[in-house]
PDB file of all heavy atoms in Angstrom:
ATOM      1  N   ASP T1502      95.303-105.543 132.444  1.00 98.00           N
ATOM      2  CA  ASP T1502      95.798-104.176 132.783  1.00 98.00           C
ATOM      3  C   ASP T1502      96.842-103.825 131.747  1.00 98.00           C
ATOM      4  O   ASP T1502      97.528-104.808 131.196  1.00 98.00           O
ATOM      5  CB  ASP T1502      96.529-104.229 134.123  1.00 98.00           C
ATOM      6  CG  ASP T1502      95.568-104.354 135.281  1.00 98.00           C
ATOM      7  OD1 ASP T1502      94.699-103.469 135.366  1.00 98.00           O
ATOM      8  OD2 ASP T1502      95.633-105.303 136.059  1.00 98.00           O
ATOM      9  N   ALA T1503      97.016-102.577 131.515  1.00 98.00           N
ATOM     10  CA  ALA T1503      98.028-102.209 130.464  1.00 98.00           C
ATOM     11  C   ALA T1503      98.874-101.104 130.945  1.00 98.00           C
ATOM     12  O   ALA T1503      98.461-100.094 131.485  1.00 98.00           O
ATOM     13  CB  ALA T1503      97.365-101.721 129.156  1.00 98.00           C
ATOM     14  N   VAL T1504     100.219-101.259 130.746  1.00 98.00           N
ATOM     15  CA  VAL T1504     101.158-100.155 130.967  1.00 98.00           C
ATOM     16  C   VAL T1504     101.254 -99.423 129.625  1.00 98.00           C
ATOM     17  O   VAL T1504     101.802 -99.911 128.628  1.00 98.00           O
ATOM     18  CB  VAL T1504     102.537-100.666 131.382  1.00 98.00           C
ATOM     19  CG1 VAL T1504     103.440 -99.532 131.623  1.00 98.00           C
ATOM     20  CG2 VAL T1504     102.430-101.531 132.641  1.00 98.00           C
ATOM     21  N   VAL T1515     104.317 -92.669 131.430  1.00 97.00           N
ATOM     22  CA  VAL T1515     103.411 -93.768 131.614  1.00 97.00           C
ATOM     23  C   VAL T1515     102.013 -93.117 131.964  1.00 97.00           C
ATOM     24  O   VAL T1515     101.894 -92.182 132.592  1.00 97.00           O
ATOM     25  CB  VAL T1515     103.779 -94.671 132.787  1.00 97.00           C
ATOM     26  CG1 VAL T1515     102.692 -95.747 133.022  1.00 97.00           C
ATOM     27  CG2 VAL T1515     105.120 -95.289 132.454  1.00 97.00           C
ATOM     28  N   LEU T1516     101.015 -93.735 131.320  1.00 95.00           N
ATOM     29  CA  LEU T1516      99.603 -93.219 131.490  1.00 95.00           C
ATOM     30  C   LEU T1516      99.033 -93.833 132.745  1.00 95.00           C
ATOM     31  O   LEU T1516      98.993 -94.965 132.916  1.00 95.00           O
ATOM     32  CB  LEU T1516      98.750 -93.486 130.297  1.00 95.00           C
ATOM     33  CG  LEU T1516      97.411 -92.899 130.320  1.00 95.00           C
ATOM     34  CD1 LEU T1516      97.465 -91.358 130.223  1.00 95.00           C
ATOM     35  CD2 LEU T1516      96.521 -93.486 129.290  1.00 95.00           C
ATOM     36  N   LEU T1517      98.561 -92.995 133.629  1.00 95.00           N
ATOM     37  CA  LEU T1517      97.877 -93.506 134.893  1.00 95.00           C
ATOM     38  C   LEU T1517      96.562 -92.897 135.044  1.00 95.00           C
ATOM     39  O   LEU T1517      96.209 -91.800 134.513  1.00 95.00           O
ATOM     40  CB  LEU T1517      98.771 -93.141 136.120  1.00 95.00           C
ATOM     41  CG  LEU T1517     100.191 -93.608 136.105  1.00 95.00           C
ATOM     42  CD1 LEU T1517     100.893 -93.065 137.362  1.00 95.00           C
ATOM     43  CD2 LEU T1517     100.235 -95.130 136.101  1.00 95.00           C
ATOM     44  N   ILE T1518      95.692 -93.629 135.695  1.00 94.00           N
ATOM     45  CA  ILE T1518      94.351 -93.119 135.985  1.00 94.00           C
ATOM     46  C   ILE T1518      94.210 -93.111 137.551  1.00 94.00           C
ATOM     47  O   ILE T1518      94.731 -93.946 138.274  1.00 94.00           O
ATOM     48  CB  ILE T1518      93.240 -93.868 135.349  1.00 94.00           C
ATOM     49  CG1 ILE T1518      93.302 -95.373 135.797  1.00 94.00           C
ATOM     50  CG2 ILE T1518      93.399 -93.817 133.794  1.00 94.00           C
ATOM     51  CD1 ILE T1518      92.117 -96.129 135.242  1.00 94.00           C
ATOM     52  N   LYS T1519      93.311 -92.237 137.947  1.00 93.00           N
ATOM     53  CA  LYS T1519      93.086 -92.178 139.398  1.00 93.00           C
ATOM     54  C   LYS T1519      91.812 -92.975 139.746  1.00 93.00           C
ATOM     55  O   LYS T1519      90.769 -92.765 139.115  1.00 93.00           O
ATOM     56  CB  LYS T1519      92.924 -90.738 139.849  1.00 93.00           C
ATOM     57  CG  LYS T1519      92.956 -90.578 141.341  1.00 93.00           C
ATOM     58  CD  LYS T1519      92.841 -89.120 141.769  1.00 93.00           C
ATOM     59  CE  LYS T1519      94.146 -88.576 142.314  1.00 93.00           C
ATOM     60  NZ  LYS T1519      94.027 -87.152 142.687  1.00 93.00           N
ATOM     61  N   GLN T1520      91.995 -93.926 140.667  1.00 90.00           N
ATOM     62  CA  GLN T1520      90.819 -94.750 141.004  1.00 90.00           C
ATOM     63  C   GLN T1520      89.795 -93.952 141.707  1.00 90.00           C
ATOM     64  O   GLN T1520      90.070 -93.186 142.686  1.00 90.00           O
ATOM     65  CB  GLN T1520      91.310 -95.863 141.971  1.00 90.00           C
ATOM     66  CG  GLN T1520      92.432 -96.715 141.460  1.00 90.00           C
ATOM     67  CD  GLN T1520      91.936 -97.982 140.817  1.00 90.00           C
ATOM     68  OE1 GLN T1520      91.290 -97.932 139.701  1.00 90.00           O
ATOM     69  NE2 GLN T1520      92.058 -99.077 141.454  1.00 90.00           N
ATOM     70  N   LYS T1521      88.560 -94.124 141.408  1.00 87.00           N
ATOM     71  CA  LYS T1521      87.419 -93.403 142.027  1.00 87.00           C
ATOM     72  C   LYS T1521      86.667 -94.266 143.031  1.00 87.00           C
ATOM     73  O   LYS T1521      85.935 -93.761 143.820  1.00 87.00           O
ATOM     74  CB  LYS T1521      86.388 -92.934 140.949  1.00 87.00           C
ATOM     75  CG  LYS T1521      86.910 -91.711 140.143  1.00 87.00           C
ATOM     76  CD  LYS T1521      86.806 -90.442 140.875  1.00 87.00           C
ATOM     77  CE  LYS T1521      87.196 -89.228 139.985  1.00 87.00           C
ATOM     78  NZ  LYS T1521      87.637 -87.996 140.645  1.00 87.00           N
ATOM     79  N   PHE T1525      91.437 -98.875 146.647  1.00 93.00           N
ATOM     80  CA  PHE T1525      92.582 -97.848 146.318  1.00 93.00           C
ATOM     81  C   PHE T1525      92.002 -96.587 145.718  1.00 93.00           C
ATOM     82  O   PHE T1525      92.540 -96.012 144.897  1.00 93.00           O
ATOM     83  CB  PHE T1525      93.505 -98.633 145.286  1.00 93.00           C
ATOM     84  CG  PHE T1525      94.439 -99.644 145.944  1.00 93.00           C
ATOM     85  CD1 PHE T1525      94.100-100.972 146.016  1.00 93.00           C
ATOM     86  CD2 PHE T1525      95.597 -99.167 146.576  1.00 93.00           C
ATOM     87  CE1 PHE T1525      94.926-101.857 146.521  1.00 93.00           C
ATOM     88  CE2 PHE T1525      96.445-100.086 147.235  1.00 93.00           C
ATOM     89  CZ  PHE T1525      96.114-101.397 147.246  1.00 93.00           C
ATOM     90  N   ASN T1527      91.277 -92.982 144.978  1.00 93.00           N
ATOM     91  CA  ASN T1527      92.148 -91.837 144.897  1.00 93.00           C
ATOM     92  C   ASN T1527      93.688 -92.206 144.781  1.00 93.00           C
ATOM     93  O   ASN T1527      94.536 -91.371 144.811  1.00 93.00           O
ATOM     94  CB  ASN T1527      92.079 -90.975 146.180  1.00 93.00           C
ATOM     95  CG  ASN T1527      90.776 -90.163 146.144  1.00 93.00           C
ATOM     96  OD1 ASN T1527      90.299 -89.797 145.102  1.00 93.00           O
ATOM     97  ND2 ASN T1527      90.176 -90.060 147.320  1.00 93.00           N
ATOM     98  N   THR T1528      93.909 -93.460 144.508  1.00 95.00           N
ATOM     99  CA  THR T1528      95.315 -93.854 144.234  1.00 95.00           C
ATOM    100  C   THR T1528      95.486 -94.020 142.695  1.00 95.00           C
ATOM    101  O   THR T1528      94.499 -94.370 141.993  1.00 95.00           O
ATOM    102  CB  THR T1528      95.622 -95.187 144.887  1.00 95.00           C
ATOM    103  OG1 THR T1528      95.313 -95.112 146.314  1.00 95.00           O
ATOM    104  CG2 THR T1528      97.055 -95.495 144.706  1.00 95.00           C
ATOM    105  N   TRP T1529      96.637 -93.675 142.214  1.00 97.00           N
ATOM    106  CA  TRP T1529      96.873 -93.806 140.812  1.00 97.00           C
ATOM    107  C   TRP T1529      97.130 -95.252 140.455  1.00 97.00           C
ATOM    108  O   TRP T1529      97.729 -96.054 141.300  1.00 97.00           O
ATOM    109  CB  TRP T1529      98.114 -92.965 140.359  1.00 97.00           C
ATOM    110  CG  TRP T1529      97.858 -91.502 140.432  1.00 97.00           C
ATOM    111  CD1 TRP T1529      98.203 -90.695 141.520  1.00 97.00           C
ATOM    112  CD2 TRP T1529      97.212 -90.671 139.443  1.00 97.00           C
ATOM    113  NE1 TRP T1529      97.752 -89.369 141.271  1.00 97.00           N
ATOM    114  CE2 TRP T1529      97.196 -89.382 140.013  1.00 97.00           C
ATOM    115  CE3 TRP T1529      96.633 -90.906 138.319  1.00 97.00           C
ATOM    116  CZ2 TRP T1529      96.611 -88.305 139.242  1.00 97.00           C
ATOM    117  CZ3 TRP T1529      96.095 -89.826 137.546  1.00 97.00           C
ATOM    118  CH2 TRP T1529      96.074 -88.537 138.062  1.00 97.00           C
ATOM    119  N   SER T1530      96.692 -95.612 139.292  1.00 97.00           N
ATOM    120  CA  SER T1530      96.956 -96.995 138.872  1.00 97.00           C
ATOM    121  C   SER T1530      97.064 -97.082 137.351  1.00 97.00           C
ATOM    122  O   SER T1530      96.752 -96.083 136.662  1.00 97.00           O
ATOM    123  CB  SER T1530      95.799 -97.979 139.272  1.00 97.00           C
ATOM    124  OG  SER T1530      94.680 -97.684 138.515  1.00 97.00           O
ATOM    125  N   ILE T1531      97.499 -98.179 136.785  1.00 97.00           N
ATOM    126  CA  ILE T1531      97.535 -98.257 135.346  1.00 97.00           C
ATOM    127  C   ILE T1531      96.170 -98.656 134.876  1.00 97.00           C
ATOM    128  O   ILE T1531      95.260 -98.978 135.696  1.00 97.00           O
ATOM    129  CB  ILE T1531      98.584 -99.378 134.882  1.00 97.00           C
ATOM    130  CG1 ILE T1531      98.204-100.762 135.456  1.00 97.00           C
ATOM    131  CG2 ILE T1531      99.951 -99.002 135.318  1.00 97.00           C
ATOM    132  CD1 ILE T1531      99.231-101.879 135.007  1.00 97.00           C
ATOM    133  N   VAL T1532      95.916 -98.529 133.603  1.00 96.00           N
ATOM    134  CA  VAL T1532      94.579 -98.748 133.096  1.00 96.00           C
ATOM    135  C   VAL T1532      94.256-100.205 133.054  1.00 96.00           C
ATOM    136  O   VAL T1532      95.144-101.030 132.869  1.00 96.00           O
ATOM    137  CB  VAL T1532      94.282 -98.105 131.745  1.00 96.00           C
ATOM    138  CG1 VAL T1532      94.805 -96.753 131.673  1.00 96.00           C
ATOM    139  CG2 VAL T1532      95.000 -98.938 130.571  1.00 96.00           C
ATOM    140  N   GLY T1533      93.016-100.563 133.228  1.00 96.00           N
ATOM    141  CA  GLY T1533      92.602-101.979 133.165  1.00 96.00           C
ATOM    142  C   GLY T1533      91.241-102.148 133.837  1.00 96.00           C
ATOM    143  O   GLY T1533      90.623-101.239 134.287  1.00 96.00           O
ATOM    144  N   GLU T1553      88.792 -95.776 129.058  1.00 88.00           N
ATOM    145  CA  GLU T1553      89.355 -95.039 130.108  1.00 88.00           C
ATOM    146  C   GLU T1553      90.245 -93.872 129.617  1.00 88.00           C
ATOM    147  O   GLU T1553      90.552 -92.943 130.298  1.00 88.00           O
ATOM    148  CB  GLU T1553      90.175 -95.887 131.024  1.00 88.00           C
ATOM    149  CG  GLU T1553      89.280 -96.873 131.780  1.00 88.00           C
ATOM    150  CD  GLU T1553      90.090 -97.654 132.922  1.00 88.00           C
ATOM    151  OE1 GLU T1553      91.333 -97.700 132.780  1.00 88.00           O
ATOM    152  OE2 GLU T1553      89.441 -98.371 133.676  1.00 88.00           O
ATOM    153  N   LEU T1602      87.067 -90.698 135.224  1.00 73.00           N
ATOM    154  CA  LEU T1602      88.363 -90.917 135.910  1.00 73.00           C
ATOM    155  C   LEU T1602      89.339 -89.829 135.460  1.00 73.00           C
ATOM    156  O   LEU T1602      89.287 -89.372 134.359  1.00 73.00           O
ATOM    157  CB  LEU T1602      88.961 -92.273 135.511  1.00 73.00           C
ATOM    158  CG  LEU T1602      88.063 -93.453 135.851  1.00 73.00           C
ATOM    159  CD1 LEU T1602      88.377 -94.685 134.954  1.00 73.00           C
ATOM    160  CD2 LEU T1602      88.288 -93.840 137.325  1.00 73.00           C
ATOM    161  N   GLU T1603      90.166 -89.494 136.326  1.00 87.00           N
ATOM    162  CA  GLU T1603      91.286 -88.624 135.855  1.00 87.00           C
ATOM    163  C   GLU T1603      92.320 -89.454 135.145  1.00 87.00           C
ATOM    164  O   GLU T1603      92.753 -90.556 135.653  1.00 87.00           O
ATOM    165  CB  GLU T1603      92.008 -88.008 137.091  1.00 87.00           C
ATOM    166  CG  GLU T1603      91.530 -86.702 137.511  1.00 87.00           C
ATOM    167  CD  GLU T1603      92.352 -86.194 138.729  1.00 87.00           C
ATOM    168  OE1 GLU T1603      93.404 -85.642 138.417  1.00 87.00           O
ATOM    169  OE2 GLU T1603      91.940 -86.385 139.919  1.00 87.00           O
ATOM    170  N   ALA T1604      92.862 -89.046 134.124  1.00 90.00           N
ATOM    171  CA  ALA T1604      93.891 -89.699 133.376  1.00 90.00           C
ATOM    172  C   ALA T1604      95.107 -88.691 133.094  1.00 90.00           C
ATOM    173  O   ALA T1604      94.880 -87.649 132.754  1.00 90.00           O
ATOM    174  CB  ALA T1604      93.404 -90.301 132.086  1.00 90.00           C
ATOM    175  N   GLN T1605      96.240 -89.162 133.345  1.00 91.00           N
ATOM    176  CA  GLN T1605      97.416 -88.270 133.309  1.00 91.00           C
ATOM    177  C   GLN T1605      98.694 -88.961 133.007  1.00 91.00           C
ATOM    178  O   GLN T1605      98.967 -90.093 133.377  1.00 91.00           O
ATOM    179  CB  GLN T1605      97.522 -87.526 134.634  1.00 91.00           C
ATOM    180  CG  GLN T1605      98.361 -86.303 134.591  1.00 91.00           C
ATOM    181  CD  GLN T1605      98.496 -85.719 136.010  1.00 91.00           C
ATOM    182  OE1 GLN T1605      97.448 -85.515 136.691  1.00 91.00           O
ATOM    183  NE2 GLN T1605      99.660 -85.387 136.450  1.00 91.00           N
ATOM    184  N   PHE T1607     102.653 -89.443 133.379  1.00 96.00           N
ATOM    185  CA  PHE T1607     103.697 -89.281 134.386  1.00 96.00           C
ATOM    186  C   PHE T1607     105.066 -89.747 133.719  1.00 96.00           C
ATOM    187  O   PHE T1607     105.057 -90.763 133.140  1.00 96.00           O
ATOM    188  CB  PHE T1607     103.486 -90.067 135.623  1.00 96.00           C
ATOM    189  CG  PHE T1607     102.318 -89.595 136.505  1.00 96.00           C
ATOM    190  CD1 PHE T1607     101.022 -89.914 136.245  1.00 96.00           C
ATOM    191  CD2 PHE T1607     102.664 -88.828 137.562  1.00 96.00           C
ATOM    192  CE1 PHE T1607     100.030 -89.456 137.007  1.00 96.00           C
ATOM    193  CE2 PHE T1607     101.649 -88.321 138.425  1.00 96.00           C
ATOM    194  CZ  PHE T1607     100.298 -88.687 138.068  1.00 96.00           C
ATOM    195  N   PRO T1613     103.997 -91.580 140.979  1.00 98.00           N
ATOM    196  CA  PRO T1613     103.407 -91.611 142.320  1.00 98.00           C
ATOM    197  C   PRO T1613     103.285 -93.039 142.822  1.00 98.00           C
ATOM    198  O   PRO T1613     103.627 -93.976 142.116  1.00 98.00           O
ATOM    199  CB  PRO T1613     102.063 -91.041 142.144  1.00 98.00           C
ATOM    200  CG  PRO T1613     101.652 -91.381 140.713  1.00 98.00           C
ATOM    201  CD  PRO T1613     102.925 -91.382 139.908  1.00 98.00           C
ATOM    202  N   ASN T1614     102.916 -93.140 144.108  1.00 97.00           N
ATOM    203  CA  ASN T1614     102.586 -94.470 144.590  1.00 97.00           C
ATOM    204  C   ASN T1614     101.443 -95.048 143.761  1.00 97.00           C
ATOM    205  O   ASN T1614     100.455 -94.457 143.467  1.00 97.00           O
ATOM    206  CB  ASN T1614     102.144 -94.463 146.069  1.00 97.00           C
ATOM    207  CG  ASN T1614     103.351 -94.283 146.964  1.00 97.00           C
ATOM    208  OD1 ASN T1614     104.444 -94.819 146.574  1.00 97.00           O
ATOM    209  ND2 ASN T1614     103.211 -93.625 148.047  1.00 97.00           N
ATOM    210  N   LEU T1615     101.549 -96.393 143.475  1.00 98.00           N
ATOM    211  CA  LEU T1615     100.579 -96.994 142.628  1.00 98.00           C
ATOM    212  C   LEU T1615      99.757 -98.017 143.414  1.00 98.00           C
ATOM    213  O   LEU T1615     100.232 -98.666 144.353  1.00 98.00           O
ATOM    214  CB  LEU T1615     101.222 -97.684 141.490  1.00 98.00           C
ATOM    215  CG  LEU T1615     102.031 -96.786 140.462  1.00 98.00           C
ATOM    216  CD1 LEU T1615     102.616 -97.544 139.351  1.00 98.00           C
ATOM    217  CD2 LEU T1615     101.111 -95.675 140.028  1.00 98.00           C
ATOM    218  N   ALA T1616      98.595 -98.270 142.956  1.00 97.00           N
ATOM    219  CA  ALA T1616      97.596 -99.240 143.558  1.00 97.00           C
ATOM    220  C   ALA T1616      98.140-100.708 143.341  1.00 97.00           C
ATOM    221  O   ALA T1616      98.894-100.961 142.406  1.00 97.00           O
ATOM    222  CB  ALA T1616      96.202 -99.045 142.969  1.00 97.00           C
ATOM    223  N   TYR T1617      97.632-101.568 144.102  1.00 96.00           N
ATOM    224  CA  TYR T1617      97.937-102.982 143.992  1.00 96.00           C
ATOM    225  C   TYR T1617      99.489-103.230 143.806  1.00 96.00           C
ATOM    226  O   TYR T1617     100.259-102.621 144.434  1.00 96.00           O
ATOM    227  CB  TYR T1617      97.140-103.618 142.827  1.00 96.00           C
ATOM    228  CG  TYR T1617      95.682-103.273 142.849  1.00 96.00           C
ATOM    229  CD1 TYR T1617      95.130-102.267 142.038  1.00 96.00           C
ATOM    230  CD2 TYR T1617      94.900-103.969 143.659  1.00 96.00           C
ATOM    231  CE1 TYR T1617      93.753-101.947 142.063  1.00 96.00           C
ATOM    232  CE2 TYR T1617      93.469-103.662 143.688  1.00 96.00           C
ATOM    233  CZ  TYR T1617      92.929-102.647 142.919  1.00 96.00           C
ATOM    234  OH  TYR T1617      91.636-102.337 142.957  1.00 96.00           O
ATOM    235  N   HIS T1619     100.893-102.611 141.001  1.00 98.00           N
ATOM    236  CA  HIS T1619     101.117-101.963 139.723  1.00 98.00           C
ATOM    237  C   HIS T1619     102.566-101.403 139.495  1.00 98.00           C
ATOM    238  O   HIS T1619     103.006-101.256 138.472  1.00 98.00           O
ATOM    239  CB  HIS T1619     100.106-100.832 139.503  1.00 98.00           C
ATOM    240  CG  HIS T1619      98.706-101.404 139.154  1.00 98.00           C
ATOM    241  ND1 HIS T1619      97.672-100.640 138.810  1.00 98.00           N
ATOM    242  CD2 HIS T1619      98.279-102.733 139.172  1.00 98.00           C
ATOM    243  CE1 HIS T1619      96.597-101.406 138.595  1.00 98.00           C
ATOM    244  NE2 HIS T1619      96.938-102.682 138.806  1.00 98.00           N
ATOM    245  N   GLN T1620     103.189-101.121 140.642  1.00 98.00           N
ATOM    246  CA  GLN T1620     104.583-100.586 140.523  1.00 98.00           C
ATOM    247  C   GLN T1620     105.423-101.657 139.964  1.00 98.00           C
ATOM    248  O   GLN T1620     106.353-101.484 139.032  1.00 98.00           O
ATOM    249  CB  GLN T1620     105.081-100.291 141.954  1.00 98.00           C
ATOM    250  CG  GLN T1620     106.453 -99.646 141.917  1.00 98.00           C
ATOM    251  CD  GLN T1620     106.783 -98.874 143.178  1.00 98.00           C
ATOM    252  OE1 GLN T1620     105.844 -98.611 143.936  1.00 98.00           O
ATOM    253  NE2 GLN T1620     107.971 -98.474 143.369  1.00 98.00           N
ATOM    254  N   VAL T1623     104.693-102.011 136.233  1.00 98.00           N
ATOM    255  CA  VAL T1623     105.349-100.937 135.421  1.00 98.00           C
ATOM    256  C   VAL T1623     106.873-101.209 135.300  1.00 98.00           C
ATOM    257  O   VAL T1623     107.489-100.995 134.247  1.00 98.00           O
ATOM    258  CB  VAL T1623     105.144 -99.558 136.114  1.00 98.00           C
ATOM    259  CG1 VAL T1623     105.960 -98.554 135.360  1.00 98.00           C
ATOM    260  CG2 VAL T1623     103.661 -99.223 136.050  1.00 98.00           C
TER     261      VAL T1623
END
Side-chain angles (χ1 to χ4, degrees):
Chain T
D1502 290 302
V1504 179
V1515 177
L1516 185 67
L1517 301 177
I1518 61 175
K1519 193 179 253 180
Q1520 303 266 74
K1521 284 282 183 203
F1525 284 95
N1527 288 326
T1528 307
W1529 293 96
S1530 73
I1531 59 178
V1532 312
E1553 295 183 347
L1602 300 154
E1603 267 184 83
Q1605 197 181 310
F1607 287 82
N1614 281 330
L1615 298 182
Y1617 309 101
H1619 287 186
Q1620 184 159 349
V1623 173

